[in-house]
Amino acid sequence: MDQGIKSRPRYQPFRIDPAGTQHLIVTDQPSPPPGISGAAELWTIAPHPGGQSFPTPAALLASLPGHLARQGPGFRLYAIGTEPFIWDVAYIATHAGLTEGELFLHHAGSLARRVHCIHCKTNTDRVTTNIVTCAGCGANLLVRDHFSRRLRAFMGVQVDAETPGILPPIETLYP
Amino acid sequence: MTQSARIHVRVAEIEPLNATLRRITLQHAEGALLPASAPGAHIQIELRGDTRSWRNAYSLVSPPGTRTAYSIIVRKVPQGRGGSLYLHERLAVGQTLTILPPVNLFPIAGLARKHLMLAAGIGVTPFLSTRAALAETPFELHLRCHAADQPAFQTLLAPWPHAHIHAGPDFNPTDLLRHQPLGTHLYLCGPTGFMQAAEAAARTLGWPAARIHQEHFGAPTGGRAFDAVLARTGRTIHVAQDQTLLEALEAADIDAPSLCRGGACGECRLPLLAGTPDHRDHFLSESEHATSIMPCVSRSHAETITIDI
């Protein structure tokens, strides 16, 4: 269902930027996509030959800032995976000084969304349905395509404010 | 830029900095306040000689926000097109001139982690007004210059504790460009050859375009004379060897827009209808070369060119 909202991120296919001189690929996917050259460093969650593996996505993300602090011109960072993961990477990378042309995001795997309740500001993770109950305030939220790069989440807006308890059909839209 | 935007100014002070550099201070002709300018901004000055006129762009070196006076620094270029010679040899205190209000095509990147500024010669001028805007962000300024200019530039750069002056032609920025932290923004201003070499070195090292900023100042070099056919009126105007197409349009009283007058900003872009253009700008992409021309620097290979104005 296209909600016609322009903030919905669109992703380009993965490719190594030939203008870069050092490449790091980070992914939360079990197997990195084909086309990764041996010239790139690879960080994964599941052990992968030739890559550095971390027990959890959070552990991988925690190791990024220190690594980025040692990089210079020519460094390129590629994040491949679910949207919450790649936007967490983008947040860390932007704070480390990476900018347009140095950071590339590629969506892979589940479409599950991180939903930000616009009423109580709580994030609800791994949302696969069009309507979700907010983990913070319990409101029934309609998951919008409106994506905030700053909050790294899709906006959720109470759907039954005027008719409490009466909800549209619940469907799995983001498997 | 329209006619109505012009400001009449009076030359308040002329200070020689050395044999070829002078600082010129301008105040509003009627004593009014001038528009506030941003760090890195420039103005255009209109000069009327005996046989021709010029419109040249100069960086403001007065502190940003100063509204009582604007200062510029002008290098005397004997082999230039005459504007700088006029400012060095004819200009007198008390004389009135017209200028166009400040425009900034060289802003400081607000999100930069560090600023690396590379200048050559008079290309240091757009940096001089940015010192206060850098605030707490680390910065490094390197200036390549002729030995004869070193004392004057050293004085100008006194408020810059991190300025490095490299007197002589041997300054190679490659090592500097290689060892910069993530989030460093690069600023280049100087002669075309200097900027091209520095930009090429940065790109080879993987600097993304979004972190490279350049200020191109008009040194239109002239070329063969040609005629320009103005399609909307059918008029034909002559562009002399030492004149730009933009200047010829202005001399014919055509209100053509312009900002940087150095082929960088895109403001003066005109649709090209026929002819063999000699593109000399830094703005148009290859695919736009067939349909557009930047009259502030570009010319015609053939005897006539037709533009949509």
Side-chain angles (χ1 to χ4, degrees):
Chain A
M1 178 179 62
D2 182 359
Q3 297 177 10
I5 293 176
K6 293 198 169 65
S7 65
R8 174 80 181 92
R10 298 162 81 147
Y11 306 98
Q12 302 299 317
F14 171 78
R15 71 174 192 117
I16 291 283
D17 175 17
T21 56
Q22 306 233 42
H23 307 271
L24 171 63
I25 299 164
V26 297
T27 181
D28 67 351
Q29 295 303 293
S31 56
I36 289 181
S37 72
E41 191 178 345
L42 177 65
W43 287 12
T44 60
I45 309 304
H48 187 271
Q52 184 174 350
S53 70
F54 295 82
T56 60
L60 186 156
L61 294 171
S63 297
L64 257 186
H67 186 80
L68 296 182
R70 296 189 295 275
Q71 307 305 317
F75 177 75
R76 298 290 186 272
L77 178 63
Y78 310 83
I80 303 170
T82 60
E83 285 188 289
F85 174 78
I86 63 179
W87 285 98
D88 281 346
V89 172
Y91 179 82
I92 293 167
T94 306
H95 278 252
L98 260 76
T99 191
E100 182 197 335
E102 294 173 308
L103 169 68
F104 302 93
L105 306 182
H106 308 281
H107 177 250
S110 168
L111 288 168
R113 294 182 169 187
R114 176 185 292 152
V115 176
H116 179 81
C117 173
I118 67 156
H119 310 287
C120 78
K121 318 298 180 199
T122 302
N123 285 342
T124 303
D125 267 319
R126 298 189 191 85
V127 176
T128 58
T129 49
N130 59 330
I131 313 278
V132 66
T133 303
C134 173
C137 65
N140 293 308
L141 303 176
L142 171 72
V143 179
R144 302 186 73 225
D145 269 354
H146 178 179
F147 183 81
S148 162
R149 283 154 172 77
R150 182 177 66 88
L151 298 169
R152 298 168 270 158
F154 290 89
M155 299 298 104
V157 182
Q158 185 165 7
V159 69
D160 58 348
E162 290 171 10
T163 54
I166 299 180
L167 302 177
I170 296 181
E171 302 168 68
T172 298
L173 293 184
Y174 316 114
Chain B
M1 197 56 62
T2 56
Q3 306 278 337
S4 59
R6 285 187 167 75
I7 302 170
H8 294 276
V9 294
R10 187 182 310 282
V11 179
E13 196 179 357
I14 299 175
E15 306 157 75
L17 303 179
N18 69 19
T20 63
L21 295 170
R22 52 168 38 182
R23 177 163 44 211
I24 298 168
T25 299
L26 308 168
Q27 291 180 332
H28 197 283
E30 280 96 50
L33 291 176
L34 296 161
S37 66
H42 71 266
I43 54 171
Q44 288 184 32
I45 301 189
E46 296 184 315
L47 305 169
R48 292 184 206 290
D50 298 329
T51 56
R52 60 163 294 174
S53 58
W54 301 270
R55 229 159 103 175
N56 289 359
Y58 293 98
S59 293
L60 291 178
V61 299
S62 33
T66 306
R67 300 191 57 194
T68 48
Y70 290 154
S71 295
I72 60 171
I73 295 176
V74 180
R75 149 140 293 154
K76 184 173 172 178
V77 186
Q79 72 281 19
R81 295 173 322 122
S84 77
L85 275 185
Y86 180 96
L87 288 171
H88 270 263
E89 293 175 354
R90 304 274 300 273
L91 193 74
V93 170
Q95 186 177 340
T96 55
L97 296 168
T98 52
I99 64 170
L100 294 176
V103 169
N104 193 1
L105 301 174
F106 202 44
I108 295 298
L111 294 175
R113 295 313 170 86
K114 178 180 172 181
H115 306 285
L116 176 62
M117 302 162 152
L118 305 183
I122 193 70
V124 73
T125 52
F127 296 111
L128 297 176
S129 64
T130 64
R131 177 67 187 89
L134 304 177
E136 302 300 309
T137 311
F139 62 87
E140 231 179 290
L141 184 147
H142 293 261
L143 169 63
R144 187 194 78 182
C145 69
H146 296 298
D149 286 331
Q150 190 172 9
F153 286 137
Q154 215 137 27
T155 307
L156 288 170
L157 288 170
W160 292 75
H162 308 289
H164 304 264
I165 299 182
H166 308 265
D170 296 333
F171 172 55
N172 180 347
T174 304
D175 270 349
L176 271 174
L177 292 168
R178 184 177 286 121
H179 300 112
Q180 294 298 328
L182 285 183
T184 306
H185 280 247
L186 173 65
Y187 306 82
L188 303 172
C189 188
T192 303
F194 170 82
M195 286 204 289
Q196 282 175 347
E199 189 199 4
R203 296 309 292 264
T204 303
L205 292 167
W207 285 72
R211 292 209 272 117
I212 304 176
H213 313 277
Q214 305 189 49
E215 180 83 315
H216 290 275
F217 267 129
T221 44
R224 266 177 46 177
F226 61 98
D227 287 331
V229 179
L230 315 182
R232 295 200 192 172
T233 57
R235 274 177 81 180
T236 297
I237 58 168
H238 184 69
V239 184
Q241 286 179 352
D242 62 346
Q243 198 179 25
T244 67
L245 175 52
L246 178 62
E247 287 168 338
L249 289 167
E250 289 165 349
D253 278 329
I254 291 156
D255 194 9
S258 72
L259 280 183
C260 76
R261 304 181 81 87
C265 76
E267 180 73 12
C268 69
R269 174 181 190 163
L270 290 174
L272 171 71
L273 300 178
T276 315
D278 176 6
H279 291 293
R280 300 180 179 188
D281 63 277
H282 317 278
F283 180 81
L284 296 174
S285 64
E286 286 293 325
S287 63
E288 295 167 323
H289 278 173
T291 54
S292 291
I293 187 166
M294 309 279 297
C296 67
V297 289
S298 298
R299 309 183 65 85
S300 172
H301 283 303
E303 279 170 21
T304 62
I305 194 165
T306 306
I307 51 179
D308 184 9
I309 189 168

